[in-house]
Amino acid sequence: MTGWQWADVDVAVPRPDLRLPGVAMAGFRQRARGNVGTAGIAMVAHPAVTLLLDLSETGGIVRDADGTSGRGSFVAGLLPGRLRTGGHEGVCLQIRLSPAVAAAVLGAPTELTGTVATLDEVWGRDAGRAEDRLRAAPTWDDRFTVATDILARRLAAAPRVEPEVARAWHRTQAARGRVRIDGLAEEVGWSRKRLWSRFRAQLGLTPKRAAGLVRFDHAARLLAAGHPAATAAAWSGYADQSHLNRETRAITGLTPAALATAPWLAIDDVAWPAASRP
């Protein structure tokens, strides 16, 4: 989507009463027609599992994940690699799920980490039913209400992650990734080995990798806010700027300078105001 402009996109967010803990949603409607079939926006890894629900009638969302392309609704797990998305004029709903919520809503979090899957592969027949309900909803308030109902029902029917795992994740986020794994284990009353094992089994990545993802996200917000790479590195707990450079390339394939102007982050203060604060 050459020449991508967020000015060509209407953004909607749900009312406070339609928000669930660990769930963030935003709706997008592209007014100007882009290049059909072109995945032009690099998705930036975020400490959440991302659902992109295609509400167009013609498979408007396209994606390219490490050279493999597809279209339609999809799920991007934690650390999905070099993933690009785009499409033509249409409507989509983006949902961010905290790892603890994603484990209940989607199941099999270990299989999703580091991958991109179609919604059909994750939800089976329920995927089509969910898309049909959302497409039939006439307004964004109605769509957010439908999405909240779908997610709440799945949460109610699924087992939750262990409280110790959820607490370790929340502490990691609160500390912006600057945590000691031994300290986390002690805080939740487990051994380091048990925390490492249960955390990975239920959330799909190790506590150390989770801390690295949260730390990177903080650095990305600082870069997008206009802070120099050296400052972002120091404030996020990296050893130095070269450490941040390596981590940014490993996670996104971008340089810190390119990440700072990434379109994926440029809309965060509108669609995800709470998450966009550095």
Side-chain angles (χ1 to χ4, degrees):
M1 292 164 55
T2 304
W4 174 263
Q5 297 291 332
W6 280 114
D8 296 330
V9 179
D10 293 326
V11 182
V13 295
R15 305 188 314 264
D17 61 304
L18 290 177
R19 295 172 186 169
L20 295 170
V23 178
M25 295 187 284
F28 302 90
R29 184 179 70 85
Q30 186 179 340
R31 297 191 303 276
R33 182 172 294 278
N35 295 329
V36 177
T38 300
I41 303 178
M43 288 184 64
V44 177
H46 180 79
V49 174
T50 300
L51 281 69
L52 271 179
L53 302 179
D54 190 344
L55 305 187
S56 69
E57 299 292 340
T58 57
I61 296 177
V62 295
R63 66 186 182 281
D64 185 292
D66 293 323
T68 301
S69 61
R71 65 171 59 242
S73 302
F74 68 91
V75 181
L78 297 170
L79 297 165
R82 299 183 184 185
L83 171 62
R84 303 181 74 86
T85 188
H88 57 74
E89 184 177 13
V91 180
C92 75
L93 171 63
Q94 183 182 341
I95 302 176
R96 289 177 172 177
L97 303 174
S98 76
V101 172
V105 169
L106 302 174
T110 302
E111 297 177 12
L112 285 174
T113 297
T115 65
V116 178
T118 68
L119 191 64
D120 288 340
E121 290 172 326
V122 177
W123 273 355
R125 293 180 180 178
D126 286 345
R129 297 188 186 104
E131 290 172 331
D132 289 343
R133 287 185 64 190
L134 288 164
R135 286 175 186 143
T139 69
W140 276 116
D141 268 355
D142 294 324
R143 292 169 188 144
F144 292 134
T145 298
V146 169
T148 299
D149 177 66
I150 291 170
L151 297 174
R153 287 176 182 273
R154 296 188 72 90
L155 279 169
R160 303 295 182 95
V161 302
E162 292 175 89
E164 293 85 354
V165 171
R167 184 177 179 185
W169 170 258
H170 290 314
R171 285 286 296 116
T172 299
Q173 273 204 307
R176 292 175 169 170
R178 303 178 74 169
V179 293
R180 291 175 55 255
I181 308 307
D182 288 342
L184 280 179
E186 182 177 350
E187 184 174 330
V188 303
W190 281 354
S191 68
R192 178 190 175 95
K193 182 178 180 180
R194 179 171 176 79
L195 175 63
W196 195 278
S197 173
R198 302 305 295 160
F199 196 101
R200 183 173 186 176
Q202 295 181 44
L203 301 189
L205 73 174
T206 66
K208 181 177 180 179
R209 199 69 182 109
L213 175 57
V214 173
R215 180 178 61 184
F216 164 77
D217 180 66
H218 182 228
R221 307 296 150 190
L222 290 169
L223 291 168
H227 295 284
T231 300
W235 289 0
S236 302
Y238 288 91
D240 51 32
Q241 184 175 338
S242 64
H243 185 194
L244 174 59
N245 291 348
R246 293 193 301 272
E247 188 80 342
T248 300
R249 284 189 177 277
I251 292 177
T252 67
L254 303 173
T255 65
L259 179 63
T261 59
W264 191 257
L265 298 179
I267 198 65
D268 275 21
D269 59 344
V270 176
W272 322 100
S276 66
R277 300 189 190 105

